[in-house]
Amino acid sequence: MNLAIFLDGGKIMKTVLQKVRGGLNTKLGFFLLTVVLFAIKSYVAYQNKFTLGVEGSIQKFLLAFNPFPAAILLIGIALYFRGRLSYWLMLLIDTIMSTWLFANILYYREFSDFLSFSIMKGSGSVSNNLGKSLMGILRPSDFLVYADVIILILLLAFHLIRIDPRYFKLRFAGIISVIAVVLFGFNLGMAESNRSGLLTRTFDSNYIVKYLGLEAYTVYDGVKTTQNNAVKAKASNSDIKPVLKFLKKNHADSNIQYKGVAKGKNVFIIHLESLQQFMINYKWDGQEVTPNINKIYNSSDTIAFDNFFNQVGQGKTADAELMLENSLFGLSEGSAMVTDGTTNTFQAAPAILDQKGYTTASFHGDVPSFWNRDNAYKSFGYQYFFSKSYFPKVKNYDAGYGIKDKLFMEDAANYVQQLPQPFYAKLITVTNHYPYILDKSNKSIKAWNTGDNTVDPYVQTAHYLDQSIGEFYNYLDKTGLRKNSMIVLYGDHYGISNNHKPAIAKILGKKKVTNYDLAMFQKVPFMIQMPGLKGGVNHTYGGEIDVLPTIENLLGIDSSKYVQFGQDLLSSNRNQIVSFRNGDFVSSKYTKYGGKTYNTTTGKELKNTTATQTSAIAKIQKYVTTELSLSDKVVNGDLLRFYKPKGFKKVDKSDYTYNLTKSLKRLKASQKSNPTSVMAKNNGQSTLSDYSTDAPELKNIDTSELVFPTVK
Ligand code: GP9
Ligand code: MN
C-alpha cells in the first residue's frame, strides 16, 4: 500500500517536472524564470547589502514585490524580438541590470547611499575616490549578483533548457508590458498609502528603493535630474542681477550694538525637532513641559524671540536647515537639499566659518542619506558629519527617526569634545517627531487628552526633548564650554499640523481655531544665548530665513556681501515680513493665511479693507512673491555659481568626506596638529564622565563603557 503511494507520488513528481521543463523550453517560460531569479537575487541583495530600514508587513511585502514590475518591463523588452536574439537580449538586459545593482552595492558600502546621476556626472572626485578604494571595499559575495545570469547561461549551454525559436506574438509582448505597468501602479499605490508624499517630498533615496525598487529609483532620479539640468542650463550670469538689486533695495542695516560680540566663540546650533513656540512656559499636568528650555528662554543673557515663524515647505527639516545656513528658501516642489544639494554652489554658514578658522560639524542620529545630507553638507562645507554609524549601538537606542535624544546628545558630546576650537556644531534632535513614539520608561509626563491620538503624545516627546537639552547644558557648564560658546536654539517647524484643528483648539483653550490662530501656530522657538549677551524677549516679526544674517552680525561677519534673503533680527529697520512658502505671510500689521487677511495685533479678520489697507497688503504680497520667486531662481538656476562674494573661496566638494574611518583619523590627527579641543586641553582625556543622563537605556552602563568606533 505504502509502496503504491510512493510509486504514485514518484509518477506525479515526474510529470510535474516534465511539465515544468516543457514550460521552461518555451520563450515565456524562460522569460518567467529570468524574472523570478532576478527578483530573488534583488531581494537577497536588498536584505544583505543595504540598510533600508524595512519595518512592518507592508514594507516587507513591497521589498520582495518591487523587483517584479521593473524586471517584467525591462527584461520583457526582449520579447519583442524574434528567435535566438530575444534570448540573448534577455541575458543582456539581465546582465546590465545586475551590473547596476553591483555598482550600487559598492557605492553604498562607501557612501551609504545609492548612485544618482548628479553624483556620476557632477563630482569626478567621488568616482575617483571610489575607483581608488574599489579593491579595498569589494567582497567576494558581491559577485553573487551575477549568479542568476550564470545559471541561465549554463542551463542554455548544456541544453538543459532548449531555445524556443518560435515567434512570440507582439500582442503578447505588449500584454506583458501592460502587466508590468499595472503591477507598478499597484506597488506605487501601496507604497503611497504606507508613506504618503514618497515621491513628492523625496525624503531619502533609501525610502524609494525600499518601496519601489532600485530601478524605479534610477528612473525617478533620472527624470528629476533632467528637469533640473534643463533649468540650470538656461540660467546665465545676468540672472543674478535682479536678485542683487532686490537684496540691495531691501537691505536692513545690521545692529551695530551687537556687531561682533560673539566673534571667535564656538557656535552651537541646536535643532529642536518639531518644537513649537506655544510650548515655551507652557504647563500641563501641573508641571512645565519644557523647564530647561524655558530657563534658557527666560535667562537675562538670552535674546529670545516670540514672533519667530517657521517658513518650511514640504522639505520640513531640510528646508529649515537650508534656510538657517544659507538664508535661501526651500522649494515648493519638495526638498531643495535633495534636488539641488549635491550639485549647486552654496555659500553656507559652515563654509563661511570654515574660512574663518572654525571646525564645522553636523550631528544627526539617523542614516546620512536622509534629506540627502551626505551630499548637501559637502556643498555647505561641513568638515564633519557625525551620523548613526559614529554612535554606540546601545540596546533600544533607536526610536522613529533615529537615536533617542538623551542618548544622541551624550553621544554627540563625545565628538564635540574632540572638535578643535572654535567650532560650529549643529545638533539635530529627532525624538519629538511625528508619530511621537516613546517607550514607557522614557515618559515622565501624561499625554494630552484631546482625544486625537496623533496629537496627544506630542507633549511627552517634547518633555523628553527638553530633558535631553537640560542634560547637555549641564555638560557644557561642567566642561566650561558654556563660557566660550554662543548657543542658538530653534524649533524647525510645527509638530501638530493644521489637519488637527479640534485638538489644536483644545490645546489653545479655544472653542474653534481661525486661520489667524493657525498662522500664529506656526511660531517656533528661536533664541540665542551667550554669557554676557544683552538679552530679553524681542518681539520683532521674523523667521528662519533671518537667522543667518543675525548670527553673522553677532560673529562680526558682514552679511551684506552674500546673497541672503533674510534680515538681521536685531536690526532696527527690518521690514518684519515673514513669507510662508505658499505665498501667505505674517507681518507686524497684517497676516494673510489660507485666503483670509487679518490684523496681526488684534487677530480680527479684515473683510472690508480700506484703500490704504488694500494697498499696504498688496505691497507686502508683492514683496513676498518677489522674494520667493527670486530665491527659487537662485536655487533652480544654481545662480550662486555666477556670484563671488569678496574674500569667499568657492567650496570644493571633493575636499570633504564623511567616511567613518577617514573622518575619525582626521579628527584624531587634529588633536595633535591643533590641540584646542576640550579633550586636548584635558590632557587628551575624555570628559564624558562629566555627562550625566538618566536615560534608562544606560542604566547599567557607565559612560566609559560606551563603545564608539575607533581608529588606530
Ligand atoms: C530626519 C529628520 C526628520 O532625518 O530630520 O525630518 P522631517 O520629517 O522633520 O523633515
Ligand atoms: Mn523636522
Side-chain angles (χ1 to χ4, degrees):
M1 165 86 174
N2 279 347
L3 186 69
I5 290 174
F6 182 74
L7 285 175
D8 260 8
K11 253 190 216 160
I12 293 168
M13 270 297 272
K14 212 171 162 192
T15 23
V16 169
L17 277 176
Q18 267 168 356
K19 280 241 161 87
V20 169
R21 194 145 171 225
L24 289 177
N25 285 334
T26 66
K27 196 178 277 178
L28 182 64
F30 185 78
F31 166 72
L32 290 177
L33 178 68
T34 313
V35 166
V36 169
L37 289 181
F38 178 84
I40 294 173
K41 177 249 316 272
S42 298
Y43 182 73
V44 174
Y46 286 164
Q47 292 279 22
N48 296 301
K49 304 281 179 186
F50 308 106
T51 335
L52 299 176
V54 179
E55 275 163 26
S57 47
I58 294 188
Q59 293 183 16
K60 278 184 193 147
F61 167 74
L62 288 182
L63 192 72
F65 182 79
N66 76 41
F68 281 99
I72 297 175
L73 188 70
L74 295 174
I75 302 173
I77 293 172
L79 298 176
Y80 290 91
F81 295 84
R82 290 165 182 244
R84 284 178 169 272
L85 177 62
S86 63
Y87 278 78
W88 294 127
L89 277 177
M90 277 190 241
L91 292 175
L92 180 69
I93 296 168
D94 194 355
T95 310
I96 293 171
M97 288 168 79
S98 306
T99 304
W100 184 237
L101 179 62
F102 183 77
N104 273 282
I105 289 173
L106 294 191
Y107 184 77
Y108 198 93
R109 189 163 300 139
E110 182 79 359
F111 297 97
S112 306
D113 208 342
F114 295 93
L115 276 164
S116 67
F117 289 100
S118 44
I119 282 288
M120 289 187 291
K121 181 174 156 275
S123 49
S125 65
V126 174
S127 35
N128 284 342
N129 290 340
L130 189 64
K132 267 183 237 154
S133 52
L134 195 68
M135 292 322 281
I137 62 173
L138 203 59
R139 293 185 193 153
S141 64
D142 297 340
F143 290 102
L144 284 177
V145 298
Y146 292 108
D148 57 335
V149 185
I150 294 167
I151 293 173
L152 292 171
I153 293 176
L154 291 177
L155 287 172
L156 289 178
F158 289 98
H159 302 293
L160 291 165
I161 290 180
R162 278 196 303 274
I163 288 181
D164 174 6
R166 280 176 303 168
Y167 180 63
F168 194 78
K169 284 202 182 107
L170 280 183
R171 190 154 35 98
F172 292 142
I175 289 173
I176 284 177
S177 303
V178 170
I179 289 175
V181 173
V182 171
L183 289 179
F184 181 74
F186 167 74
N187 189 342
L188 187 61
M190 271 189 92
E192 272 286 339
S193 72
N194 193 255
R195 192 60 163 117
S196 72
L198 180 67
L199 293 187
T200 44
R201 294 188 59 206
T202 30
F203 324 86
D204 186 348
S205 43
N206 275 315
Y207 279 36
I208 302 190
V209 174
K210 167 168 83 175
Y211 282 110
L212 303 178
L214 180 61
E215 295 73 22
Y217 166 71
T218 304
V219 172
Y220 173 81
D221 175 59
V223 171
K224 281 253 161 182
T225 312
T226 315
Q227 290 171 342
N228 213 328
N229 287 347
V231 181
K232 293 197 205 308
K234 266 197 233 136
S236 75
N237 210 343
S238 57
D239 293 333
I240 192 81
K241 284 193 190 130
V243 176
L244 297 176
K245 203 171 144 204
F246 174 86
L247 293 181
K248 197 162 177 208
K249 190 173 157 221
N250 294 290
H251 179 73
D253 287 330
S254 297
N255 187 322
I256 195 90
Q257 228 190 319
Y258 283 96
K259 192 176 174 67
V261 295
K263 200 170 180 176
K265 298 267 182 194
N266 298 320
V267 181
F268 279 104
I269 307 282
I270 302 185
H271 174 112
L272 305 165
E273 180 59 42
S274 303
L275 196 69
Q276 300 188 203
Q277 174 68 12
F278 79 91
M279 295 300 277
I280 300 291
N281 295 334
Y282 172 88
K283 276 191 178 163
W284 162 247
D285 190 24
Q287 52 176 317
E288 284 177 69
V289 178
T290 57
N292 294 296
I293 296 170
N294 296 347
K295 211 170 123 200
I296 304 169
Y297 183 87
N298 299 317
S299 155
S300 62
D301 57 9
T302 299
I303 311 172
F305 294 85
D306 62 356
N307 286 315
F308 181 90
F309 292 78
N310 88 78
Q311 297 171 285
V312 307
Q314 297 191 48
K316 302 282 287 291
T317 295
D319 285 357
E321 290 190 53
L322 181 86
M323 277 188 278
L324 252 87
E325 291 178 321
N326 296 277
S327 199
L328 292 171
F329 286 92
L331 299 173
S332 52
E333 312 84 59
S335 164
M337 250 167 69
V338 174
T339 51
D340 303 274
T342 310
T343 47
N344 271 18
T345 298
F346 290 93
Q347 289 142 9
I352 295 172
L353 286 173
D354 177 346
Q355 294 175 23
K356 299 232 174 274
Y358 273 70
T359 309
T360 57
S362 178
F363 297 78
H364 185 58
D366 197 1
V367 291
S369 55
F370 205 99
W371 287 136
N372 195 34
R373 288 185 176 100
D374 49 347
N375 294 307
Y377 280 173
K378 290 182 185 164
S379 311
F380 290 1
Y382 267 113
Q383 296 164 8
Y384 294 97
F385 177 25
F386 300 101
S387 60
K388 205 166 190 176
S389 59
Y390 287 78
F391 305 121
K393 287 182 183 45
V394 179
K395 202 169 167 222
N396 298 326
Y397 75 134
D398 208 34
Y401 279 82
I403 302 177
K404 293 177 199 164
D405 294 344
K406 280 189 187 172
L407 305 170
F408 167 72
M409 294 305 270
E410 173 169 25
D411 293 346
N414 177 59
Y415 294 107
V416 166
Q417 65 170 350
Q418 299 179 57
L419 299 176
Q421 303 187 71
F423 57 71
Y424 171 90
K426 171 161 79 169
L427 280 66
I428 306 171
T429 63
V430 293
T431 311
N432 187 38
H433 190 292
Y434 171 81
Y436 316 113
I437 304 165
L438 197 59
D439 40 311
K440 217 169 149 207
S441 57
N442 272 307
K443 287 180 187 165
S444 49
I445 194 166
K446 265 203 298 202
W448 273 323
N449 57 4
T450 69
D452 186 330
N453 293 338
T454 320
V455 173
D456 287 350
Y458 173 81
V459 71
Q460 298 179 300
T461 46
H463 187 54
Y464 175 82
L465 163 64
D466 178 76
Q467 292 172 328
S468 78
I469 301 299
E471 293 178 351
F472 188 72
Y473 250 73
N474 284 340
Y475 170 79
L476 296 183
D477 272 332
K478 278 195 189 163
T479 48
L481 266 171
R482 260 291 285 289
K483 283 203 288 285
N484 51 4
S485 303
M486 170 169 86
I487 306 174
V488 178
L489 298 108
Y490 81 105
D492 62 341
H493 48 75
Y494 62 84
I496 303 162
S497 82
N498 292 348
N499 300 326
H500 302 277
K501 288 193 194 110
I504 296 175
K506 277 193 187 146
I507 295 162
L508 298 179
K510 300 194 168 196
K511 268 205 188 114
K512 240 183 125 184
V513 286
T514 63
N515 281 2
Y516 172 79
D517 297 326
L518 293 177
M520 296 305 133
F521 207 57
Q522 301 313 312
K523 287 184 190 177
V524 287
F526 179 65
M527 50 196 111
I528 306 171
Q529 179 178 45
M530 187 180 71
L533 192 68
K534 199 166 147 272
V537 179
N538 186 312
H539 307 301
T540 193
Y541 283 83
E544 288 164 331
I545 200 76
D546 302 313
V547 171
L548 184 55
T550 312
I551 295 176
E552 280 169 333
N553 186 46
L554 290 163
L555 291 168
I557 296 165
D558 173 16
S559 62
S560 67
K561 65 177 180 184
Y562 294 103
V563 173
Q564 295 172 352
F565 283 84
Q567 298 181 332
D568 178 5
L569 286 163
L570 297 166
S571 162
S572 52
N573 64 344
R574 315 187 61 244
N575 60 18
Q576 301 203 56
I577 298 173
V578 184
S579 309
F580 289 124
R581 186 52 264 193
N582 63 0
D584 283 350
F585 58 80
V586 173
S587 75
S588 51
K589 275 203 172 137
Y590 306 107
T591 293
K592 193 190 132 215
Y593 203 78
K596 289 184 176 163
T597 316
Y598 299 86
N599 175 316
T600 301
T601 343
T602 62
K604 282 226 167 71
E605 191 183 342
L606 298 172
K607 282 190 176 140
N608 303 307
T609 46
T610 63
T612 342
Q613 284 174 328
T614 313
S615 91
I617 293 167
K619 215 173 139 202
I620 299 173
Q621 184 68 73
K622 188 170 171 225
Y623 176 84
V624 169
T625 319
T626 316
E627 176 181 47
L628 289 168
S629 83
L630 287 175
S631 172
D632 288 352
K633 284 206 173 112
V634 171
V635 176
N636 289 327
D638 186 15
L639 297 186
L640 293 185
R641 71 192 141 137
F642 303 122
Y643 183 72
K644 195 183 168 322
K646 218 171 140 213
F648 179 83
K649 219 177 113 244
K650 194 173 155 68
V651 171
D652 180 355
K653 284 157 211 162
S654 67
D655 288 346
Y656 303 91
T657 170
Y658 305 133
N659 172 286
L660 180 72
T661 319
K662 285 178 197 152
S663 299
L664 291 181
K665 276 194 179 154
R666 191 154 32 96
L667 191 60
K668 200 172 174 188
S670 74
Q671 304 304 308
K672 290 231 167 74
S673 61
N674 183 11
T676 51
S677 72
V678 170
M679 199 161 118
K681 289 189 169 174
N682 191 37
N683 300 320
Q685 298 300 308
S686 171
T687 58
L688 222 53
S689 55
D690 284 338
Y691 204 107
S692 35
T693 168
D694 64 3
E697 298 81 2
L698 302 178
K699 211 169 175 186
N700 300 315
I701 306 175
D702 188 77
T703 45
S704 58
E705 291 168 46
L706 287 172
V707 188
F708 288 91
T710 50
V711 282
K712 274 190 226 109

